Amino acid sequence: MTAEGARPPVLDVRDVTKVYGAGDTAVHALRGVSLTVAQGDYVAVMGASGSGKSTLMNILGCLDVPTGGRYLLAGTDVGRLDERRLAILRNRRIGFVFQSFNLIPRMSAQANVELPLAYGGVRAAERRRRAQAALREVGLADRARHEPNELSGGQQQRVAVARALVTAPTLLLADEPTGALDSASTADILGVFDRLSETGRTIVVITHEDEVAAHARRVVRLRDGRVVEDVRRVPEVAR
Ligand code: ADP
Ligand code: MG
């Protein structure tokens, strides 16, 4: 265990650029984004459509690499990794939640949550135990045997959150997690994120909804590929 002060930030983004294509048709999706996120922070990334949110999310999630600048994830320089190492880092460090829940139909909630552990080679008994704990964390212990089509949208998204958490990732990264939900289910998911934040999880949520951002500790706003605002709403907690 390193000393508190020596622990690197979870995210350290330094002057990152992303250009799609080349020449006359090049799109400058990110034009020099810098951002650090410490462990335990809860950040909403906002911005109009086309401002670069998904591009940034893909880079933060190690699904894509920047054109320029540097990105360190928990101290690891992502730009120096090959595809295979990038995949390992992604699987170990990041729990993804998407707008569409992406659950596997005709598989119980429990089995869906166990899936990332099965890929990771965790034994069956241990998988069961950890999946149950993750489902408890999102308040769905009593729905473990239900299949996705027997659950509401909000419950399905909670299963997806449990699946993201089950590997104990360094970062929970969500892209428009409430985009497909009604207001009651949205409140439900935001409540789950609030609780996860209170227990020290690091959360970055990409959203265009003020209601979602109102739950975060900090709001970062993108415009035309640049950070134009970075406001802390709730004091940072020492962890
Ligand atoms: P947001 O998620 O905020 O809507 P995006 O990151 O998806 O923004 O897009 C930022 C800009 O980059 C937009 O102009 C978009 O058209 C462009 N873009 C995104 N992905 C690609 C791609 N794969 N190829 C070319 N242009 C892209
Ligand atoms: Mg987007």
Side-chain angles (χ1 to χ4, degrees):
M1 199 69 190
T2 51
E4 191 67 28
R7 188 189 280 154
V10 171
L11 304 180
D12 186 352
V13 177
R14 300 181 189 172
D15 204 23
V16 157
T17 59
K18 181 71 187 182
V19 183
Y20 294 110
D24 286 351
T25 58
V27 176
H28 294 261
L30 297 178
R31 297 172 180 266
V33 169
S34 296
L35 187 68
T36 43
V37 176
Q39 188 178 341
D41 212 351
Y42 179 3
V43 183
V45 176
M46 300 197 76
S49 175
S51 60
K53 300 185 299 296
S54 293
T55 300
L56 182 61
M57 151 115 183
N58 289 340
I59 290 171
L60 298 183
C62 303
L63 297 163
D64 200 358
V65 290
T67 308
R70 284 177 83 194
Y71 170 37
L72 287 80
L73 172 58
T76 300
D77 192 337
V78 170
R80 294 173 185 276
L81 303 180
D82 58 24
E83 267 304 322
R84 191 183 64 88
R85 291 195 176 175
L86 204 58
I88 292 171
L89 187 70
R90 185 164 62 227
N91 294 341
R92 284 210 189 129
R93 293 291 193 180
I94 306 198
F96 289 98
V97 177
F98 298 99
Q99 178 169 346
S100 52
F101 324 127
N102 297 338
L103 299 178
I104 300 194
R106 288 182 293 284
M107 251 172 84
S108 68
Q110 169 86 25
N112 267 283
V113 175
E114 281 187 28
L115 218 51
L117 298 176
Y119 292 139
V122 177
R123 286 176 305 109
E126 176 73 5
R127 286 207 303 267
R128 235 180 345 265
R129 192 186 64 74
R130 284 168 62 177
Q132 278 163 6
L135 283 167
R136 248 196 326 274
E137 228 180 324
V138 299
L140 280 183
D142 59 337
R143 293 289 186 277
R145 292 165 183 278
H146 290 252
E147 295 178 3
N149 67 359
E150 301 166 336
L151 298 170
S152 71
Q155 289 172 333
Q156 289 182 60
Q157 190 62 306
R158 276 150 72 189
V159 174
V161 173
R163 181 184 54 189
L165 292 175
V166 78
T167 55
T170 309
L171 172 68
L172 186 67
L173 188 55
D175 193 3
E176 300 283 1
T178 61
L181 299 178
D182 61 26
S183 54
S185 298
T186 293
D188 211 20
I189 287 295
L190 294 176
V192 168
F193 281 13
D194 286 350
R195 285 203 302 281
L196 294 174
S197 177
E198 278 156 22
T199 60
R201 305 273 186 175
T202 311
I203 303 173
V204 173
V205 55
I206 285 155
T207 185
H208 65 273
E209 294 174 65
D210 291 327
E211 186 193 355
V212 177
H215 283 252
R217 292 174 180 276
R218 175 179 167 197
V219 178
V220 172
R221 201 173 293 274
L222 292 182
R223 187 182 301 145
D224 298 331
R226 289 192 178 89
V227 174
V228 292
E229 194 177 82
D230 186 345
V231 181
R232 183 163 290 288
R233 302 179 51 257
V234 180
E236 203 163 359
V237 192
R239 305 264 179 209

